């Protein structure tokens, strides 16, 4: 029944209604009373009182379109019952029909349309009633004249009332289009934010999981070597300190991106793979790296990030779940693609015949990074080893 309006909108509507009522009282008194309604005190009073329902309809036209439409019909019916001619205050009907079409609910929208047609018919019948009795008893030519005049009057009334309603309908379409555009923009922003959060979550997982795996491995080595080889224990502690500082820096960068979504922090490149290999070797993993052929230039940034993160996650899994032994890393930078392969021995406790669990965050992250640039990845046990094999297009990523 009532639409939510802001205070300034209510103030504007009430001010317009007051100004409208004052002007209509003045115009009715000067232009109608004594001229269009001569020597009829009751009709003059009713014509002045009609300013109240029509003025209230103007005040409520945006706050409550159905109530404004009801008041407009009440005023029109009273005007016809008092047998008054068209008055200046009838202008309020056009404003009410406009707001019913622009701001009303679907039911009020179609009630406004029906009111335009019904109101035009009522106007036509009301204005032609005085001459109808005469025309029905007159000759055929005068009856035809009456019918033609009635048709023209009905068409003109429909055109005038529907014009106000149609303008409101056009405004309604514009408001809905603007609302749909705003809703689409917000949905795109939410989708972009969700994608960014997922990317940061994957980066956070990669950084924290890899760094903690290195720290745990070094801490265990330092604990066993503390008594027998203090120098090895000190070296392990230095590795722990360096790895923790690097992880802290990466986590701070990711948290900065969470606070400032528009900020794109520095991303790892293939030039930093040697640092990654050094951290893995320092954690006690026997790592063998084969790069053949080498990159023919500067690979696209998306490909470098994907290669780094896939290798980081694969090597982290090898440290956490592998059976020791040599971990083989193979990088082949071909003209149109790069092939990444990481193979590590499986422990005896791992079941190489059952289904591979691929629901971990790290494995999902590797798969998403490969698919993001149009590549593919295959993860699973092969011949007693756990293999991560990815193929990433170089040209398509650019």
């Amino acid at each position: 029944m009532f639409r939510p309006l802001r205070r300034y909108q209510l103030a504007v509507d009430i001010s317009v209604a007051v100004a409208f009522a004052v002007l209509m009282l003045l115009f009715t008194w000067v232009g109608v009373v004594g001229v269009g309604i001569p020597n009829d005190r009751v009709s003059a009073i009713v014509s002045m009182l009609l300013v109240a329902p029509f003025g209230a309809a103007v005040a409520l036209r945006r706050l409550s379109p159905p109530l404004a439409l009801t008041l407009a019909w009440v005023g029109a019916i009273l005007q016809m019952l008092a047998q008054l001619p068209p008055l200046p205050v009838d202008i309020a009907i056009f404003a009410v029909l406009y707001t019913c079409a622009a701001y009303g609910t679907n039911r009020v929208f179609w009630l406004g349309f029906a009111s335009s047609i019904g109101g035009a018919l009522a106007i036509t019948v009301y204005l032609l009633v005085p001459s109808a009795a005469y025309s029905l008893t007159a000759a055929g030519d005068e009856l035809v004249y009456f019918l033609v005049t009635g048709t023209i009057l009905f068409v003109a009334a429909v055109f005038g009332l529907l014009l106000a309603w149609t303008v409101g309908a056009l405004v309604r379409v514009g408001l809905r289009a603007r609302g749909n555009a705003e809703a689409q923009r917000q949905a795109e922003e939410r989708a972009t934010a969700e994608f960014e959060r997922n990317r940061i979550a994957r980066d956070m997982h990669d950084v924290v999981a890899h760094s903690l795996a290195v720290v745990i491995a070094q801490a265990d080595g330092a604990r066993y070597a503390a008594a027998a080889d203090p120098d090895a224990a000190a070296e392990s502690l230095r590795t722990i300190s360096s790895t923790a500082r690097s992880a802290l820096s990466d986590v701070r960068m990711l948290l900065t991106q969470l606070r400032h979504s528009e900020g794109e922090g520095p991303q790892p490149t293939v030039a930093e793979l040697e640092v990654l290999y050094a951290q893995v070797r320092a954690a006690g993993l026997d790592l063998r790296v084969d790069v053949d052929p080498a990159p023919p230039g500067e690979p696209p940034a998306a490909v470098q990030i994907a290669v780094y993160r896939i290798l980081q996650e694969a090597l982290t899994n090898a440290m956490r779940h592998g059976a020791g032994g040599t971990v083989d890393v193979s990088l082949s930078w071909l003209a149109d693609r790069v092939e990444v392969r990481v193979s590590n021995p499986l422990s005896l406790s791992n079941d190489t015949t059952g289904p591979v669990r691929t629901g971990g965050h790290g494995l999902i992250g590797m798969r998403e990074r490969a698919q993001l640039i149009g590549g593919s990845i295959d993860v699973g046990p092969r011949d007693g080893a756990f293999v991560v094999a990815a193929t990433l297009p170089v040209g398509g990523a650019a």
Side-chain angles (χ1 to χ4, degrees):
M1 179 62 69
F2 295 96
R3 297 175 60 245
L5 293 181
R6 297 178 180 176
R7 289 187 177 180
Y8 78 90
Q9 292 176 316
L10 287 173
V12 168
D13 288 350
I14 294 175
S15 300
V16 170
V18 170
F20 173 79
V22 172
L23 289 176
M24 291 304 103
L25 285 173
L26 179 62
F27 290 159
T28 302
W29 178 262
V30 175
V32 178
V33 176
V35 179
I37 312 175
N39 302 323
D40 189 344
R41 183 181 299 273
V42 175
S43 297
I45 294 175
V46 173
S47 64
M48 300 294 287
L49 292 178
L50 284 177
V51 174
F54 283 113
V58 172
L60 297 173
R61 69 189 190 281
R62 288 197 297 178
L63 179 64
S64 179
L67 186 56
L69 184 63
T70 302
L71 289 173
W73 269 110
V74 169
I77 292 173
L78 290 176
Q79 183 177 348
M80 290 186 288
L81 291 177
Q83 297 184 2
L84 296 173
L87 299 173
V89 76
D90 294 333
I91 298 175
I93 296 175
F94 297 98
V96 171
L97 291 176
Y98 166 82
T99 52
C100 285
Y103 306 113
T105 61
N106 288 336
R107 179 178 296 179
V108 175
F109 176 81
W110 291 112
L111 282 176
F113 177 80
S115 297
S116 300
I117 305 298
L121 182 61
I123 291 171
T124 303
V125 173
Y126 174 73
L127 293 180
L128 293 182
V129 162
S131 59
Y134 170 77
S135 299
L136 291 175
T137 58
D141 292 342
E142 293 185 359
L143 180 60
V144 171
Y145 174 78
F146 167 75
L147 293 176
V148 172
T149 303
T151 302
I152 294 175
L153 181 60
F154 176 73
V155 171
V158 168
F159 178 79
L161 295 177
L162 277 183
L163 179 62
W165 182 88
T166 303
V167 172
L170 293 176
V171 172
R172 182 189 191 92
V173 172
L175 292 175
R176 287 194 172 184
R178 186 172 63 182
N180 292 337
E182 178 65 19
Q184 182 179 1
R185 184 187 65 81
Q186 293 179 357
E188 291 176 352
E189 288 183 353
R190 288 194 296 268
T192 302
E194 183 66 22
F195 174 80
E196 185 68 11
R197 284 194 295 269
N198 289 335
R199 183 187 68 82
I200 293 173
R202 288 193 300 269
D203 287 345
M204 186 77 76
H205 172 271
D206 295 342
V207 169
V208 174
H210 171 75
S211 301
L212 287 180
V214 173
V215 168
I216 292 172
Q218 290 293 324
D220 289 340
R223 180 163 56 88
Y224 292 131
D229 191 353
D231 293 336
E235 182 64 27
S236 297
L237 292 175
R238 280 193 294 269
T239 303
I240 291 174
S241 175
S242 174
T243 302
R245 285 193 180 93
S246 176
L248 180 60
S249 176
D250 290 340
V251 169
R252 283 175 174 172
M253 178 193 69
L254 294 174
L255 293 178
T256 300
Q257 292 184 29
L258 285 175
R259 288 192 296 267
H260 308 284
S261 58
E262 70 278 4
E264 289 291 342
Q267 295 293 335
T269 63
V270 293
E272 301 177 34
L273 287 177
E274 292 299 329
V275 178
L276 176 65
Y277 299 151
Q279 291 178 344
V280 172
R281 291 190 177 101
L285 199 65
D286 184 10
L287 184 62
R288 184 169 57 193
V289 180
D290 181 22
V291 181
D292 185 26
E298 183 70 15
V303 176
Q304 296 190 54
I305 296 172
V307 169
Y308 184 92
R309 293 306 187 192
I310 289 174
L311 283 175
Q312 185 183 49
E313 178 62 30
L315 293 175
T316 300
N317 287 338
M319 286 190 294
R320 297 170 64 183
H321 307 297
T326 301
V327 177
D328 292 315
V329 174
S330 173
L331 275 176
S332 299
W333 293 91
L334 305 176
D336 59 340
R337 68 188 186 280
V338 55
E339 296 180 353
V340 182
R341 179 184 173 89
V342 178
S343 174
N344 64 275
L346 281 173
S347 62
L348 297 177
S349 60
N350 288 332
D351 182 10
T352 60
T353 61
V356 182
R357 187 180 68 86
T358 59
H361 198 156
L363 298 182
I364 293 176
M366 286 194 294
R367 197 175 305 279
E368 289 182 352
R369 289 184 185 279
Q371 292 176 353
L372 186 64
I373 59 175
S376 61
I377 190 168
D378 185 19
V379 179
R382 297 181 188 175
D383 301 328
F386 192 85
V387 177
V388 175
T391 301
L392 309 175
V394 174

